[in-house]
Amino acid sequence: KVGYGGVPSTTVPNKMSDLVHIQGNEVTIDSPVTPIKLLAVETGINGRTNGVLKFVGENFISGDTFRIEPNAVVYLGSSEGISAAPTLTGNVQTTNRVLSSEATYIYWGGLTQVTGLGIPNNIKNLIVEKDTNTSVTLSKNTVIDSALHISNAILDMGGYTLNGSTSERSLTMSGGEFIVRSAFPQNYTSPTFT
């Protein structure tokens, strides 16, 4: 409901045939959304910035397809994070889920969360930006291709690994807590704590 380069629509998707492309804009889902055919958070082209989608709390998208493209950003607020299809829990409850390993996944808000089994095995950036005294726990082994950043709250590795894909990945903390229950993550430069 947004024309490229045009003024954003003042209406929300309201039928299964709707196609929503987010590029050059930030969209927040803070109330229920009618099932739609496609919601794509896209890579910026032609001078537009990458798309940003923010899910507030347990609000979710449903319908046919949810797609996150390389360099796009998604904020996850659900206690279930991103579940694997066909599970209908978490912020993404579409039939098809195309989630780029080159995107940034941010866990935020006031709920205790898990990353979810639907998050790609490798991701570009993992960011924890939650309310103080809340946590997010890994649901599976995850590999970071660029950066791991904890800016608030608690990141708990559970029994899983959170290694960098190659040496010299970035691990920074500007608040919060990092709970390591087995081996400390590998392939990061010396962690930065501010």
Side-chain angles (χ1 to χ4, degrees), residues 136-139 155-161 179-182:
V136 60
T137 301
L138 291 183
S139 298
L155 174 58
D156 186 341
M157 289 177 50
Y160 299 101
T161 61
I179 300 174
V180 178
R181 297 186 184 274
S182 55

mmCIF file of all heavy atoms in Angstrom, residues 136-139 155-161 179-182:
data_model
loop_
_atom_site.group_PDB
_atom_site.id
_atom_site.type_symbol
_atom_site.label_atom_id
_atom_site.label_comp_id
_atom_site.label_asym_id
_atom_site.label_seq_id
_atom_site.Cartn_x
_atom_site.Cartn_y
_atom_site.Cartn_z
ATOM 1 N N VAL A 136 16.846 -12.826 26.381
ATOM 2 C CA VAL A 136 16.611 -13.630 25.183
ATOM 3 C C VAL A 136 17.589 -14.799 25.264
ATOM 4 O O VAL A 136 18.759 -14.637 25.617
ATOM 5 C CB VAL A 136 16.769 -12.822 23.869
ATOM 6 C CG1 VAL A 136 18.150 -12.232 23.722
ATOM 7 C CG2 VAL A 136 16.428 -13.669 22.660
ATOM 8 N N THR A 137 17.067 -16.013 24.986
ATOM 9 C CA THR A 137 17.867 -17.235 25.062
ATOM 10 C C THR A 137 17.929 -17.878 23.683
ATOM 11 O O THR A 137 16.909 -17.953 22.980
ATOM 12 C CB THR A 137 17.235 -18.226 26.072
ATOM 13 O OG1 THR A 137 17.165 -17.590 27.351
ATOM 14 C CG2 THR A 137 18.053 -19.502 26.189
ATOM 15 N N LEU A 138 19.117 -18.330 23.291
ATOM 16 C CA LEU A 138 19.266 -19.017 22.003
ATOM 17 C C LEU A 138 18.397 -20.269 21.964
ATOM 18 O O LEU A 138 18.285 -20.985 22.966
ATOM 19 C CB LEU A 138 20.717 -19.425 21.767
ATOM 20 C CG LEU A 138 21.742 -18.332 21.528
ATOM 21 C CD1 LEU A 138 23.111 -18.959 21.248
ATOM 22 C CD2 LEU A 138 21.335 -17.423 20.392
ATOM 23 N N SER A 139 17.828 -20.552 20.792
ATOM 24 C CA SER A 139 17.030 -21.761 20.583
ATOM 25 C C SER A 139 17.797 -22.829 19.819
ATOM 26 O O SER A 139 17.329 -23.958 19.691
ATOM 27 C CB SER A 139 15.760 -21.423 19.798
ATOM 28 O OG SER A 139 14.961 -20.532 20.519
ATOM 29 N N LEU A 155 21.564 -11.754 27.293
ATOM 30 C CA LEU A 155 21.622 -12.754 26.232
ATOM 31 C C LEU A 155 22.155 -14.024 26.873
ATOM 32 O O LEU A 155 23.273 -14.054 27.398
ATOM 33 C CB LEU A 155 22.525 -12.318 25.082
ATOM 34 C CG LEU A 155 22.739 -13.381 23.990
ATOM 35 C CD1 LEU A 155 21.416 -13.827 23.379
ATOM 36 C CD2 LEU A 155 23.691 -12.865 22.924
ATOM 37 N N ASP A 156 21.331 -15.083 26.836
ATOM 38 C CA ASP A 156 21.672 -16.374 27.438
ATOM 39 C C ASP A 156 21.898 -17.376 26.308
ATOM 40 O O ASP A 156 20.994 -17.614 25.498
ATOM 41 C CB ASP A 156 20.528 -16.827 28.353
ATOM 42 C CG ASP A 156 20.833 -18.084 29.138
ATOM 43 O OD1 ASP A 156 21.761 -18.838 28.762
ATOM 44 O OD2 ASP A 156 20.130 -18.322 30.135
ATOM 45 N N MET A 157 23.101 -17.954 26.233
ATOM 46 C CA MET A 157 23.400 -18.912 25.168
ATOM 47 C C MET A 157 22.719 -20.258 25.382
ATOM 48 O O MET A 157 22.685 -21.084 24.467
ATOM 49 C CB MET A 157 24.912 -19.113 25.045
ATOM 50 C CG MET A 157 25.618 -17.912 24.462
ATOM 51 S SD MET A 157 27.410 -18.097 24.380
ATOM 52 C CE MET A 157 27.634 -19.668 23.594
ATOM 53 N N GLY A 158 22.133 -20.468 26.567
ATOM 54 C CA GLY A 158 21.545 -21.777 26.840
ATOM 55 C C GLY A 158 22.621 -22.837 26.676
ATOM 56 O O GLY A 158 23.754 -22.646 27.084
ATOM 57 N N GLY A 159 22.329 -23.916 26.027
ATOM 58 C CA GLY A 159 23.323 -24.963 25.776
ATOM 59 C C GLY A 159 23.884 -24.907 24.373
ATOM 60 O O GLY A 159 24.412 -25.894 23.880
ATOM 61 N N TYR A 160 23.751 -23.757 23.709
ATOM 62 C CA TYR A 160 24.107 -23.645 22.295
ATOM 63 C C TYR A 160 25.374 -22.827 22.077
ATOM 64 O O TYR A 160 25.896 -22.208 22.993
ATOM 65 C CB TYR A 160 22.932 -23.037 21.526
ATOM 66 C CG TYR A 160 21.697 -23.879 21.619
ATOM 67 C CD1 TYR A 160 20.667 -23.526 22.497
ATOM 68 C CD2 TYR A 160 21.574 -25.055 20.889
ATOM 69 C CE1 TYR A 160 19.532 -24.330 22.608
ATOM 70 C CE2 TYR A 160 20.444 -25.857 20.994
ATOM 71 C CZ TYR A 160 19.424 -25.481 21.859
ATOM 72 O OH TYR A 160 18.321 -26.276 21.967
ATOM 73 N N THR A 161 25.850 -22.823 20.829
ATOM 74 C CA THR A 161 27.029 -22.041 20.461
ATOM 75 C C THR A 161 26.607 -20.775 19.718
ATOM 76 O O THR A 161 25.542 -20.729 19.098
ATOM 77 C CB THR A 161 27.993 -22.854 19.572
ATOM 78 O OG1 THR A 161 27.306 -23.222 18.375
ATOM 79 C CG2 THR A 161 28.487 -24.092 20.300
ATOM 80 N N ILE A 179 25.316 -14.506 29.265
ATOM 81 C CA ILE A 179 25.441 -15.761 30.005
ATOM 82 C C ILE A 179 25.969 -16.843 29.070
ATOM 83 O O ILE A 179 25.320 -17.204 28.092
ATOM 84 C CB ILE A 179 24.096 -16.187 30.628
ATOM 85 C CG1 ILE A 179 23.598 -15.106 31.596
ATOM 86 C CG2 ILE A 179 24.235 -17.536 31.322
ATOM 87 C CD1 ILE A 179 22.216 -15.365 32.157
ATOM 88 N N VAL A 180 27.163 -17.341 29.384
ATOM 89 C CA VAL A 180 27.821 -18.384 28.603
ATOM 90 C C VAL A 180 27.797 -19.650 29.441
ATOM 91 O O VAL A 180 28.392 -19.698 30.514
ATOM 92 C CB VAL A 180 29.280 -17.981 28.275
ATOM 93 C CG1 VAL A 180 29.975 -19.090 27.495
ATOM 94 C CG2 VAL A 180 29.305 -16.659 27.509
ATOM 95 N N ARG A 181 27.106 -20.676 28.970
ATOM 96 C CA ARG A 181 26.929 -21.894 29.764
ATOM 97 C C ARG A 181 27.895 -23.005 29.372
ATOM 98 O O ARG A 181 27.933 -24.042 30.012
ATOM 99 C CB ARG A 181 25.495 -22.379 29.657
ATOM 100 C CG ARG A 181 24.527 -21.354 30.240
ATOM 101 C CD ARG A 181 23.111 -21.878 30.274
ATOM 102 N NE ARG A 181 22.197 -20.853 30.736
ATOM 103 C CZ ARG A 181 21.919 -20.597 31.997
ATOM 104 N NH1 ARG A 181 22.511 -21.283 32.948
ATOM 105 N NH2 ARG A 181 21.068 -19.650 32.323
ATOM 106 N N SER A 182 28.622 -22.821 28.293
ATOM 107 C CA SER A 182 29.647 -23.804 27.916
ATOM 108 C C SER A 182 30.875 -23.017 27.472
ATOM 109 O O SER A 182 31.361 -22.203 28.218
ATOM 110 C CB SER A 182 29.117 -24.738 26.822
ATOM 111 O OG SER A 182 28.644 -24.002 25.715
#
